[in-house]
Amino acid sequence: MNSARRQATRQKLYEAAVTLIAEQGFSATTVDEIAERAGVAKGTVYYNFASKNELFEELLRHGVGLLTASLRAADTATAAAGGSRVDALDAMIRAGLEFIARYPSVTQLYVAELWRTNRAWQGTLMLVRSDAVSAVEKVLAEAVATGELSEEIDVPLTAAALFGMVLMTALDWQAFQPQRSIDDVHAALSRLLQGRVGGRHIPHAPA
């Protein structure tokens, strides 16, 4: 099997697995079901992955890797356009929302697995989470270095807070406020970024 064909097959298996696991949980999902949903033979699953555990571990690595790449691409595009570091953070928020709107099941699984400590892939999950948060942390650190943001900011904690804010807001949006547009959700988070993280004073309305 050539590389392109194998990657296409693995992508089908990822999509089948994430959908099934989101529907019925990891333990209840079988390799037979994954193969059937993907439209391949059961042997194809084992040709690409040694076990269901390995498939799921690679699914998390693949999914969070795509998110991290989209965050970094937003940073790069903003820099190329001459935007500020806070502009880059805002673009990363948008990129995160777009990713989650496109891959809600991946995000649901990622958030669910963060709270489990007995999984074989816990170490991998922590590594990919670290990669994603470090993309945000890099831009925050640059914003502090250039004077856009206060030196008092705890960069690692703020990066984790921004990353978590986007994840949880997007999941809430998808589950409970689907009628809202991505522009609406992004605007709300952008105002929060500019007013709270950016340290800009928002005057209170007169009584």
Side-chain angles (χ1 to χ4, degrees), residues 30-53:
T30 67
V31 171
D32 285 336
E33 289 173 320
I34 293 171
E36 181 179 359
R37 182 69 65 95
V40 302
K42 182 177 180 180
T44 301
V45 180
Y46 288 116
Y47 176 78
N48 285 275
F49 305 99
S51 65
K52 186 176 73 167
N53 274 4

Side-chain angles (χ1 to χ4, degrees), residues 8-29:
T9 299
R10 290 168 76 94
Q11 183 63 40
K12 287 199 298 184
L13 292 171
Y14 288 145
E15 291 172 0
V18 75
T19 302
L20 284 165
I21 294 166
E23 290 173 358
Q24 59 193 31
F26 175 78
S27 297
T29 299

Side-chain angles (χ1 to χ4, degrees), residues 67-125:
L67 173 56
T68 303
S70 70
L71 296 176
R72 289 177 175 155
D75 173 23
T76 300
T78 303
S84 69
R85 296 292 74 202
V86 172
D87 289 336
L89 290 171
D90 188 57
M92 293 169 92
I93 287 174
R94 176 75 183 211
L97 292 174
E98 289 175 346
F99 175 88
I100 295 162
R102 184 176 180 183
Y103 303 107
S105 295
V106 172
T107 310
Q108 291 165 11
L109 290 176
Y110 168 79
V111 172
E113 290 301 317
L114 280 179
W115 299 103
R116 301 182 189 275
T117 58
N118 60 340
R119 298 295 206 195
W121 50 78
Q122 190 68 20
T124 295
L125 185 61

